Amino acid sequence: MLRYRDFFPMAADTQASAGLGKGLPLGDALPLGILVTDRDGKCVYSNTAYQKLCGWTGDELIGSHWSAVIHPQDHEKTLEHWEKAVLGQKAFLCEARLKCANGQVIWTRRNAALITDGMPGHGYVHTVEDISTYKAHERARKKAEEQLFDAKERAQVTLDSIGDAVLSTDINGCVSYMNVVAETLTGYSRHEAIGRPLAEIFHVVDANTHKPTSDPAQRAILSDSIVALEANALLVARNGVELAIEDSAAPIHNRHGVVVGAVIVFHDARFSRETTARMEHLAQHDELTGLHNRNAFYERFDQSLSLARRHGTQMGLLFIDLDNFKSINDILGHNSGDMILEVLAGKLKSCVRAADTVCRYGGDEFVVLLAEIAQPDHAHDVADKIREAAATPMVIGGHEVSLQLSIGVSVYPDNGETADELLKTADSAMYRIKLLNRRPVAGSSTMVPTILPILL
C-alpha cells in the first residue's frame, strides 16, 4: 500500500533505500531522463536530465513514488497501467502529462523495464522523454484533420444536396468521386464506380446514331478548359434506360496548378427540353384551343404567299366570328364558353386541308388561311362547310347548343397582296354578314344562339 507522502517528493524519506542505486551504470551525461525505482516504484536514483525535466533535485526525488510527478488528471489511469505491467512482469510504456515543480505541465513518454540483476529485490529503470513538441504537432495535425474532415463532409453534403449529378475522374480517366444524383442517373453506387474507367460508368451515346460520344473528361484534361457535352447526348444507365442529359466537364487542378483529373456536371434534360418545347409551342399556338396564334398566322401567311407567287395560284382567307358569344357565356357560364371554343376549333380543323392554317385571332374570332386554291369559289365553299359544321348541335354542360357563325371571305391577289389587306377585306365582309344575321325575327328583337336543355 502506497503512503500519502509517497506521492509527494518533498514528503519522502530521503534516507530510505539510499544505497540501493550505488554502482548502477547510469550517467548524468545522458540526455534522456533516467529514473531507477525499487519494486514498489520508489525512486532510488535519477539522473540530471530527469531532474531538469521535472524540476526536482535528486535528493527530493529519493524515496518518492515515481508517479508523484504525474499530472492529477492522468494519475489514476497511469497507475492502473503500471499495476497491470507489474503484475504481469511486462514492460511499461505510457504517455502522460508531468507536472513540474514550477507548475509547468509537459507531455512525457515513459518506458520502464524490470531490473533483475545487480539490484537487491529487483526494481525498474525508467526512461522519460519530453514529447511536448510532438504532442503539439499531433494536436495541430488532428485539428487540421478534423477541419479537413469537416470541410470534406460539408462538401459531400453540399454535392449530395444539389440537383445536378457530379462525377469526377483522376488523370487516368478512372472515376474518383460521384454524388447521390450521379448514382441515381447512372445506376451505379459510388463504391462500385470508384476506380473503374469512366466509360464503364458514364456510358454516353449520340441520340441519332447511338455511337459512343467522345470522353468529355479527357477533352477537358487535354484542353485544360471547360468543355460542353456533345449535343443530343444520351446517358445509357446500368439498366439500359436511355436518358437525355446536358451540361459540361472541367479540368481539376492541384495546388500547384497541375491538371490532376476532371469533373463532369450533368443533369436530366428531359424536363428542360419538355419545358422548352412547351414554350416554343405556346409561342406559336393558342393555349385554350391549340390552334395557331396571330404570330404563327403571319409566318404561315408569308410561306403560303411565297408558294402562291411561285406557282401562280390564289389564296383564300376566311375571317370568322361566333355570333352572340357573349350571350352564350352569360347563359351557360365561361367554363362552358371555353368548351364551345375548343369544340369549334376542332370543327374548323376538320373542314380544311392539312396545308391550310386555322388561327384563333382573338376572343371568339378565328382566321382560316386556304393555301393555293384554284378559284375564289373554293374559299366560299369552305366557308359554307364551316357554317354547316358549326350549326350541328353539340352538347355542352347538359345543354344542346347550335352555333351561328359570321364569315367574311377575301382572295389573294384579287382583294389584296398582303396579310393586312386581305384581313381588312375579310373583316369588312364578315361585319356586313353579322349585321344581316342580327336582323330581327318574328317575336324577337335580336338573334340568339339555339340552346336547348337535355333531359336525362
Side-chain angles (χ1 to χ4, degrees):
M1 177 69 68
L2 296 176
R3 293 172 298 173
Y4 175 81
R5 68 176 190 167
D6 291 334
F7 292 96
F8 298 92
M10 290 299 292
D13 182 1
T14 58
Q15 301 302 318
S17 305
L20 290 177
K22 291 181 179 180
L24 291 175
L26 300 174
D28 286 343
L30 292 175
L32 190 66
I34 302 293
L35 179 72
V36 179
T37 67
D38 60 19
R39 62 186 302 171
D40 295 324
K42 295 179 181 179
C43 175
V44 297
Y45 170 81
S46 63
N47 72 344
T48 302
Y50 183 81
Q51 295 165 15
K52 289 181 179 179
L53 192 67
C54 66
W56 300 97
T57 66
D59 291 339
E60 292 171 328
L61 291 170
I62 292 294
S64 67
H65 197 274
W66 67 266
S67 66
V69 295
I70 301 299
H71 193 279
Q73 293 181 3
D74 296 341
H75 195 271
E76 183 177 354
K77 65 179 181 180
T78 302
L79 275 182
E80 288 178 0
H81 188 189
W82 166 261
E83 290 171 358
K84 290 179 181 179
V86 170
L87 290 174
Q89 294 189 338
K90 297 179 180 178
F92 172 76
L93 176 64
C94 76
E95 294 180 359
R97 286 170 291 180
L98 186 149
K99 189 172 182 179
C100 303
N102 61 3
Q104 182 185 3
V105 177
I106 61 174
W107 271 97
T108 61
R109 180 182 291 115
R110 181 180 296 264
N111 193 332
L114 182 66
I115 302 174
T116 58
D117 296 327
M119 184 173 181
H122 306 311
Y124 293 87
V125 59
H126 302 237
T127 58
V128 185
E129 59 178 319
D130 185 351
I131 59 170
S132 298
T133 302
Y134 164 78
K135 281 293 186 178
H137 291 165
E138 184 180 50
R139 287 194 298 270
R141 176 179 57 79
K142 286 184 177 179
K143 184 177 181 180
E145 288 177 350
E146 289 173 358
Q147 292 175 340
L148 178 61
F149 178 81
D150 290 342
K152 290 177 66 176
E153 192 173 51
R154 284 195 298 271
Q156 180 73 54
V157 171
T158 301
L159 290 173
D160 282 342
S161 299
I162 64 176
D164 285 351
V166 180
L167 189 155
S168 61
T169 72
D170 58 24
I171 195 66
N172 298 316
C174 293
V175 176
S176 57
Y177 172 80
M178 63 195 306
N179 69 350
V180 172
V181 180
E183 289 180 313
T184 301
L185 296 185
T186 63
Y188 291 91
S189 70
R190 68 186 66 178
H191 301 295
E192 294 174 311
I194 291 177
R196 295 173 63 177
L198 177 65
E200 293 183 11
I201 307 301
F202 189 64
H203 181 41
V204 181
V205 299
D206 183 88
N208 298 320
T209 64
H210 275 72
K211 293 182 179 179
T213 61
S214 59
D215 186 336
Q218 283 301 308
R219 287 196 288 130
I221 290 172
L222 293 176
S223 64
D224 194 10
S225 63
I226 298 174
V227 298
L229 298 183
E230 295 184 5
N232 298 320
L234 291 177
L235 171 65
V236 182
R238 186 177 192 174
N239 59 3
V241 173
E242 296 180 349
L243 182 69
I245 60 171
E246 58 186 15
D247 231 317
S248 60
I252 298 174
H253 301 88
N254 63 14
R255 60 179 179 173
H256 304 295
V258 178
V259 178
V260 293
V263 59
I264 303 172
V265 180
F266 60 98
H267 61 263
D268 186 343
R270 289 177 300 176
F271 301 114
S272 59
R273 291 184 182 180
E274 288 173 2
T275 301
T276 301
R278 175 168 172 74
M279 292 178 66
E280 291 176 350
H281 178 81
L282 291 177
Q284 295 284 314
H285 295 81
D286 173 58
E287 186 172 7
L288 174 63
T289 63
L291 299 176
H292 286 93
N293 58 20
R294 284 195 186 193
N295 294 331
F297 163 75
Y298 283 104
E299 290 183 10
R300 297 293 291 268
F301 180 88
D302 291 339
Q303 295 170 5
S304 297
L305 180 62
S306 298
L307 291 175
R309 286 173 175 171
R310 185 184 307 166
H311 300 150
T313 55
Q314 300 179 9
M315 292 189 303
L317 191 146
L318 313 182
F319 200 101
I320 304 169
D321 184 84
L322 177 55
D323 293 340
N324 297 314
F325 184 62
K326 183 178 183 303
S327 298
I328 295 175
N329 277 330
D330 291 342
I331 296 173
L332 299 181
H334 289 282
N335 288 338
S336 295
D338 288 346
M339 293 174 63
I340 288 173
L341 292 177
E342 291 182 74
V343 173
L344 178 59
K347 292 187 175 187
L348 294 177
K349 292 177 68 175
S350 68
C351 294
V352 300
R353 302 164 298 179
D356 299 327
T357 301
V358 181
C359 159
R360 185 183 179 193
Y361 200 70
D364 60 345
E365 295 178 336
F366 298 84
V367 172
V368 176
L369 176 63
L370 305 174
E372 296 191 285
I373 59 175
Q375 53 189 3
D377 287 346
H378 290 172
H380 292 280
D381 291 340
V382 173
D384 292 338
K385 185 179 180 180
I386 289 174
R387 285 193 195 93
E388 293 176 3
T392 302
M394 65 182 80
V395 177
I396 302 293
H399 294 80
E400 187 178 89
V401 180
S402 293
L403 302 179
Q404 180 172 299
L405 305 179
S406 295
I407 304 176
V409 179
S410 62
V411 177
Y412 165 85
D414 297 347
N415 303 121
E417 296 192 358
T418 66
D420 290 338
E421 290 173 346
L422 293 173
L423 284 169
K424 183 177 181 180
T425 300
D427 184 38
S428 297
M430 180 275 296
Y431 185 71
R432 290 193 299 271
I433 293 173
K434 182 177 283 290
L435 290 178
L436 293 175
N437 288 341
R438 286 180 177 175
R439 287 184 302 175
V441 296
S444 176
S445 60
T446 184
M447 191 69 153
V448 298
T450 302
I451 303 176
L452 300 175
I454 299 296
L455 300 178
L456 302 177

